[in-house]
Amino acid sequence: MKIKSIYIGGWFQRTMLQLSEIYDFLRDGTSQLGFDQNKLTDLHDKLRIDSIEYGVANEEFVAFSTEDQIRVKLFEDGLIVISSDKVSEDTMLNGVEHLHTYYNECLSPTINYLFSTGAPVFKELSRVENIYPYFIVCDNASQKELSDLLAQTERQKYFEFDGKNYDVLRGDKYYFINDKKAPLETIERYIEEQIFIREFKGQLHRYLNLHRSIWSKIDAIKKQALTSEVEILEDTTKLERYEKTALLIKGRLEQMATYVKIREAGVRDDAEIIEFLAISGYRYSALFGTLEYMQSLWRTTRDYAKTAQRLLARASQERIIHGLRDVAILLGVLVATSILGLLFGTVLNFTVDTFIYAAILIIVAVLGVYIYKNYTFRKQYLMSLEEEKERHEN
């Protein structure tokens, strides 16, 4: 049995403008974005580029091959496909590991550095350790041979398809495609779409997990019974950061909506690709539905952060008012002291009795302020309880 090629890939949205920046870097190892040239040179050397081309196939792309015959294809929407045809049945697993290592140690650091300016990439998304699935393309293999390959890599198979031009045997991490007489270009386009689909859904899942994390942190802030001025400042800063994150993700999700529409348009009139995608039970409508749900979820998350900000702003305003009242009480004590002195016909001289008298008044004033602050703390606690009660009722 002959293994023709292996493929892996990833996706994070870019544009054709950024693709041209990648092309400039790949061509001569430079950038117009003010990066450290020594760092650029080091990254360029690690890629071991042998040849480069710029082309169009539904979307614009840049492709290059390395000195050890790895081929990399980068599309304008951010899809990355890495492949090699220097592989055999005996070297299949090593070949997959070789591509994986090149992606993690050479290509991924380069892409991350080139796009380290501008809108930030969230740490939860900037580096994805697993770039499944791996695609293995075989040439006229028997069903037993495919099953034996699957047994080397997977504990169970997800589905099996036996077609006229190709067979597909899919596990969790591996896709085995047996090419009978399908054009290699069609198989590669199917692989590209599958990588895009898996990465698209995977990114939405990571956005879902990020939403859960941020929502729980906002919830913890809103459920606080008591808070201090320092905590108000800290929590306000956190909420501003959460709102900024929600705003950035809103933009990312809007970009994703654009890219999935472009991808759908590219395969809509291609019967062979549609047949391939049907094998996987994939529907673009399901992807659109999940995307719309995620957009709604992050709108709600941003609104929730704003309600928490308003709650803290109200607490901060009350503290300012309480502080002014405290000052007024102390001033009142001083005024009362002076009035008492006048009423008793005594001018406050600096005597021992005067100091004792003033100390007693100050102690009484401080005690009054302390009791008053406890009262205001209690009032704030009840305000939080009311909000908690409303949350449960809704």
Side-chain angles (χ1 to χ4, degrees):
M1 176 187 60
K2 178 183 178 182
I3 295 181
K4 298 172 67 172
S5 50
I6 53 178
Y7 299 81
I8 63 172
W11 176 75
F12 193 76
Q13 58 260 44
R14 308 293 181 197
T15 70
M16 66 176 65
L17 299 177
Q18 292 168 314
L19 185 67
S20 64
E21 293 172 355
I22 294 176
Y23 180 65
D24 291 340
F25 168 78
L26 295 175
R27 189 177 51 203
D28 52 26
T30 61
S31 172
Q32 303 299 317
L33 301 178
F35 292 115
D36 184 334
Q37 186 55 51
N38 291 330
K39 176 71 172 178
L40 290 174
T41 300
D42 180 59
L43 291 170
H44 190 267
D45 290 343
K46 286 182 178 179
L47 292 177
R48 308 186 299 276
I49 297 173
D50 182 48
S51 62
I52 309 173
E53 65 173 299
Y54 199 114
V56 179
N58 294 315
E59 295 186 64
E60 294 186 23
F61 67 88
V62 172
F64 69 89
S65 58
T66 70
E67 295 170 356
D68 49 352
Q69 299 180 327
I70 292 175
R71 183 168 175 79
V72 180
K73 201 171 184 180
L74 303 103
F75 292 85
E76 67 178 76
D77 64 358
L79 182 68
I80 300 172
V81 180
I82 310 174
S83 62
S84 174
D85 57 5
K86 299 300 177 182
V87 63
S88 65
E89 183 178 358
D90 295 332
T91 63
M92 180 187 69
L93 296 179
N94 288 335
V96 168
E97 184 61 31
H98 183 50
L99 292 184
H100 201 166
T101 300
Y102 183 83
Y103 180 91
N104 282 334
E105 298 182 3
C106 303
L107 186 60
S108 181
T110 299
I111 299 298
N112 286 336
Y113 186 67
L114 290 177
F115 298 111
S116 59
T117 60
V121 176
F122 317 108
K123 64 181 181 180
E124 292 84 355
L125 305 172
S126 61
R127 184 175 180 84
V128 181
E129 294 181 358
N130 299 325
I131 52 173
Y132 309 135
Y134 308 133
F135 294 87
I136 313 296
V137 179
C138 305
D139 186 20
N140 287 309
S142 67
Q143 289 295 325
K144 183 179 184 308
E145 288 173 327
L146 287 179
S147 298
D148 289 343
L149 286 177
L150 184 68
Q152 294 180 37
T153 58
E154 306 277 10
R155 294 183 178 179
Q156 63 180 7
K157 64 181 178 181
Y158 278 20
F159 67 76
E160 182 176 2
F161 173 82
D162 183 11
K164 179 180 178 181
N165 297 324
Y166 48 81
D167 301 327
V168 177
L169 186 61
R170 176 191 165 190
D172 178 29
K173 302 176 182 178
Y174 285 81
Y175 277 69
F176 293 96
I177 303 172
N178 183 33
D179 183 9
K180 297 177 180 178
K181 53 182 180 179
L184 183 60
E185 178 184 354
T186 299
I187 292 177
E188 288 186 342
R189 285 197 60 201
Y190 165 71
I191 291 172
E192 291 164 5
E193 289 301 316
Q194 280 296 312
I195 292 173
F196 174 80
I197 292 165
R198 291 288 291 263
E199 286 293 302
F200 194 99
K201 291 174 12 180
Q203 190 162 309
L204 288 178
H205 199 182
R206 292 190 287 276
Y207 281 140
L208 176 61
N209 289 335
L210 185 57
H211 148 78
R212 289 166 173 160
S213 174
I214 289 179
W215 186 278
S216 64
K217 292 174 182 177
I218 297 173
D219 212 33
I221 291 173
K222 294 192 69 175
K223 286 181 178 179
Q224 291 181 101
L226 300 174
T227 187
S228 66
E229 293 180 12
V230 173
E231 290 171 334
I232 287 177
L233 291 174
E234 291 177 349
D235 290 341
T236 299
T237 301
K238 291 178 183 177
L239 290 171
E240 288 174 351
R241 188 169 66 249
Y242 300 152
E243 187 182 358
K244 178 182 177 182
T245 297
L247 187 62
L248 289 170
I249 290 181
K250 173 180 177 290
R252 296 289 188 185
L253 292 172
E254 288 174 352
Q255 291 175 344
M256 292 174 73
T258 301
Y259 293 137
V260 74
K261 288 176 183 176
I262 293 173
R263 284 277 167 184
E264 182 190 28
V267 303
R268 189 179 300 151
D269 299 324
D270 192 324
E272 293 190 25
I273 292 297
I274 290 175
E275 183 182 3
F276 257 117
L277 294 176
I279 297 170
S280 307
Y282 171 73
R283 293 175 294 113
Y284 277 100
S285 59
L287 209 57
F288 280 119
T290 305
L291 180 61
E292 289 175 358
Y293 168 76
M294 197 59 58
Q295 289 174 318
S296 174
L297 203 60
W298 276 99
R299 282 194 299 269
T300 305
T301 303
R302 189 181 176 196
D303 290 342
Y304 196 46
K306 288 180 178 180
T307 62
Q309 286 176 316
R310 288 195 293 269
L311 183 64
L312 287 180
R314 184 170 59 188
S316 181
Q317 290 171 356
E318 287 193 1
R319 285 187 173 279
I320 293 173
I321 294 172
H322 296 159
L324 293 174
R325 287 175 179 172
D326 294 343
V327 172
I329 290 174
L330 291 175
L331 290 175
V333 169
L334 295 176
V335 171
T337 301
S338 300
I339 292 174
L340 286 173
L342 292 173
L343 289 175
F344 287 98
T346 304
V347 178
L348 294 178
N349 298 318
F350 292 102
T351 64
V352 174
D353 291 340
T354 301
F355 279 115
I356 293 174
Y357 178 69
I360 292 173
L361 287 176
I362 292 173
I363 291 172
V364 171
V366 170
L367 183 61
V369 170
Y370 176 77
I371 294 172
Y372 185 77
K373 282 188 174 181
N374 278 340
Y375 168 74
T376 59
F377 281 146
R378 181 65 179 172
K379 182 179 179 182
Q380 183 182 351
Y381 178 67
L382 291 175
M383 177 186 66
S384 297
L385 284 180
E386 277 299 314
E387 186 178 13
E388 186 68 17
K389 181 180 177 181
E390 290 178 4
R391 183 187 294 115
H392 285 299
E393 288 177 351
N394 292 333

